[in-house]
Amino acid sequence: MDPKNHWETIYRTKDVHEVSWFQSEARRSVDLITRICSDRSAPIIDVGGGASVLVDNLLAAGYRNLSVLDVSEAALKISRDRLGADSAKVNWMVGDVLRVPFDDAAYYSAEGLYSEFGTDFQLVRSEHEDHHTPGGAEQSFLYCLCRRE
C-alpha cells in the first residue's frame, strides 16, 4: 500500500483518540515554539500534522500564520472540522513532505530530520520524549524546532 492510501485508511477507519500517537494537548511542541518564537505572526508549519491538536493550541496561543501539511486529506478534515470557523485561519496543505523539493538526508536524528528542510533552515533545538500511547505502549518521539533563515 502506498503511504497516502495507508494514512487515508487509518484516518477513515480509526478513532483519532485511539491512535497510538494521540495527544490531547501538544504541550511540548507549543512550549518549544513559544520559547523560540514570540512573534505570533511568524510563519509556522506543522509537517505531518494530520489530526493533531498542535494547530488548535497555537491558535489559542495567538499564532496567526499557521500551515498544516499532511499526506492524508481525511486527517486534515478531522482537524478542520474540529476547529470549525477557526479552520479558515489555517493554510491546509495535502502533500507528502518527502516529495517537497528539500535536500536528501538521513532520518532518526535531529540533524538528519531538520536537514530534510534544506539549507534555508537552522536547527534551533531538539528534544526526545517517550510517549505513552492510549493502549499502554511506549513510542519514542523526536521534536525538532527549526527556524527558516
Side-chain angles (χ1 to χ4, degrees), residues 79-148:
S79 288
R80 285 193 309 267
D81 290 350
R82 183 182 63 242
L83 284 170
D86 283 342
S87 68
K89 300 175 183 177
V90 178
N91 178 31
W92 302 97
M93 302 180 297
V94 178
D96 184 343
V97 70
L98 298 177
R99 306 268 185 264
V100 177
F102 298 132
D103 294 335
D104 290 334
Y107 280 94
Y108 304 111
S109 71
E111 293 78 16
L113 185 59
Y114 99 84
S115 68
E116 284 292 317
F117 296 97
T119 57
D120 290 342
F121 289 84
Q122 292 292 56
L123 178 64
V124 176
R125 183 182 174 109
S126 66
E127 290 188 15
H128 173 266
E129 176 183 23
D130 290 324
H131 169 69
H132 298 279
T133 70
E138 189 172 289
Q139 290 181 320
S140 180
F141 284 7
L142 175 64
Y143 294 83
C144 291
L145 179 61
C146 301
R147 175 180 284 166
R148 186 170 185 201

Side-chain angles (χ1 to χ4, degrees), residues 33-44 61-66 147:
I33 292 166
T34 55
R35 275 194 264 164
I36 192 64
C37 185
S38 61
D39 179 1
R40 299 308 202 248
S41 66
I44 297 172
Y63 288 90
R64 302 182 302 276
N65 192 356
L66 302 174
R147 175 180 284 166

Side-chain angles (χ1 to χ4, degrees), residues 17-71:
H17 299 98
E18 295 176 0
V19 294
S20 65
W21 54 91
F22 172 76
Q23 294 179 310
S24 60
E25 292 181 65
R27 278 187 228 147
R28 174 136 330 156
S29 295
V30 171
D31 182 52
L32 286 168
I33 292 166
T34 55
R35 275 194 264 164
I36 192 64
C37 185
S38 61
D39 179 1
R40 299 308 202 248
S41 66
I44 297 172
I45 183 170
D46 184 2
V47 176
S52 167
V53 296
L54 176 58
V55 70
D56 309 50
N57 297 161
L58 291 173
L59 284 169
Y63 288 90
R64 302 182 302 276
N65 192 356
L66 302 174
S67 298
V68 179
L69 167 69
D70 200 277
V71 70

